[in-house]
Amino acid sequence: MSVPFSPSNPVRRHAVILCHPDPKSFNRAVADAYCDAVRAIGHEAMVRDLYAMGFDPILKAKERPTVEGFKIGKDVEEEIALLATCDVFVLVYPIWFGTPPAMLKGYVERVFGSGITPGDVELRTHKSFLADKRLVSFTTSAMSAPWLEEQGQWLSLRYLFDHYLTHAFGMKPDEHVHFANVTTGMPKLWAARHLYAVEQQARATCAAILADEQEKVAHAAAS
């Protein structure tokens, strides 16, 4: 069921950060499925395809907020302007050698972490446009889930990336959906099941946003 627009019920926006070099990858299908699902509910969604954009992941010396003459790059300023009104940030990427692709890490450093100092992270004095926003991740791997767990990669990724991002930028608790055994010869039925799971997560995220807003209204009415 779609959610109508009104001054007290604004359009919700989802930013889908896609990081995969192949425009016909399963990761792209995941990003599209998520967007289709939230749009059907009445939300807005935009895909930021890092490879298609030619995003520069290299953090510049002057972009570090701890140095004299700190200055955000123009491309980062433009990206933040696009993302500032989003309510949900969705990361879609493959797990390569146990970690996200280097380009996504660079995006986190340059865009998500723009202007955030180590002290801000440690003391949780967040000034980020990500504060109180939702984080959802969809990852793929050619390896099996048991293998990733045996190697400690899954737990490491959850703590060193997902949970750290929510803490560093003051985001709401994160959700992570992983698809294992994603290969070129993956059966179509498996792919369809995975994409159905993406749609279900998209709906759950939209429902969580609505629940958050209803709670705020109830709290304001009671105070």
Side-chain angles (χ1 to χ4, degrees), residues 95-98 139-149 151 153 178-183 190 194:
I95 298 175
W96 286 345
F97 300 101
T139 54
T140 61
S141 174
M143 307 300 187
S144 68
W147 188 90
L148 286 176
E149 292 179 2
Q151 301 302 313
Q153 291 187 3
H178 177 68
F179 302 117
N181 300 115
V182 174
T183 61
W190 289 7
H194 290 341

Side-chain angles (χ1 to χ4, degrees), residues 3 10 12 15-16 25 29 52 56 63 67 87 90 115 117 128 132 140 148 166 176 187:
V3 180
R12 292 84 170 176
V16 180
S25 68
D56 181 2
E63 290 181 324
V67 302
D87 304 286
V90 184
T117 68
S128 174
D132 295 323
T140 61
L148 286 176
T166 58
H176 193 138

Side-chain angles (χ1 to χ4, degrees), residues 165-186:
L165 293 185
T166 58
H167 174 90
F169 306 126
M171 304 181 79
K172 293 182 181 295
D174 55 274
E175 297 286 345
H176 193 138
V177 179
H178 177 68
F179 302 117
N181 300 115
V182 174
T183 61
T184 303
M186 180 174 60

Side-chain angles (χ1 to χ4, degrees), residues 44-57:
E44 292 182 356
M46 66 174 177
V47 176
R48 305 302 292 158
D49 186 336
L50 303 189
Y51 279 91
M53 292 163 50
F55 177 75
D56 181 2

Side-chain angles (χ1 to χ4, degrees), residues 111-192:
V111 179
F112 283 9
S114 180
I116 304 297
T117 68
D120 293 331
V121 174
E122 184 176 5
L123 300 177
R124 308 197 78 169
T125 53
H126 307 294
K127 304 172 185 177
S128 174
F129 62 93
L130 297 166
D132 295 323
K133 304 300 178 63
R134 290 191 171 274
L135 176 67
V136 180
S137 297
F138 294 98
T139 54
T140 61
S141 174
M143 307 300 187
S144 68
W147 188 90
L148 286 176
E149 292 179 2
E150 180 183 342
Q151 301 302 313
Q153 291 187 3
W154 174 245
L155 190 60
S156 296
L157 184 66
R158 289 291 282 148
Y159 277 94
L160 297 180
F161 200 64
D162 298 348
H163 297 340
Y164 185 86
L165 293 185
T166 58
H167 174 90
F169 306 126
M171 304 181 79
K172 293 182 181 295
D174 55 274
E175 297 286 345
H176 193 138
V177 179
H178 177 68
F179 302 117
N181 300 115
V182 174
T183 61
T184 303
M186 180 174 60
K188 291 183 178 180
L189 180 59
W190 289 7

Side-chain angles (χ1 to χ4, degrees), residues 45-84:
M46 66 174 177
V47 176
R48 305 302 292 158
D49 186 336
L50 303 189
Y51 279 91
M53 292 163 50
F55 177 75
D56 181 2
I58 301 176
L59 181 71
K60 312 304 184 294
K62 287 190 176 181
E63 290 181 324
R64 294 177 299 154
T66 54
V67 302
E68 185 177 354
F70 160 66
K71 182 175 177 59
I72 298 174
K74 183 179 179 180
D75 59 334
V76 173
E77 286 184 342
E78 293 173 350
E79 191 68 13
I80 291 175
L82 284 174
L83 302 177

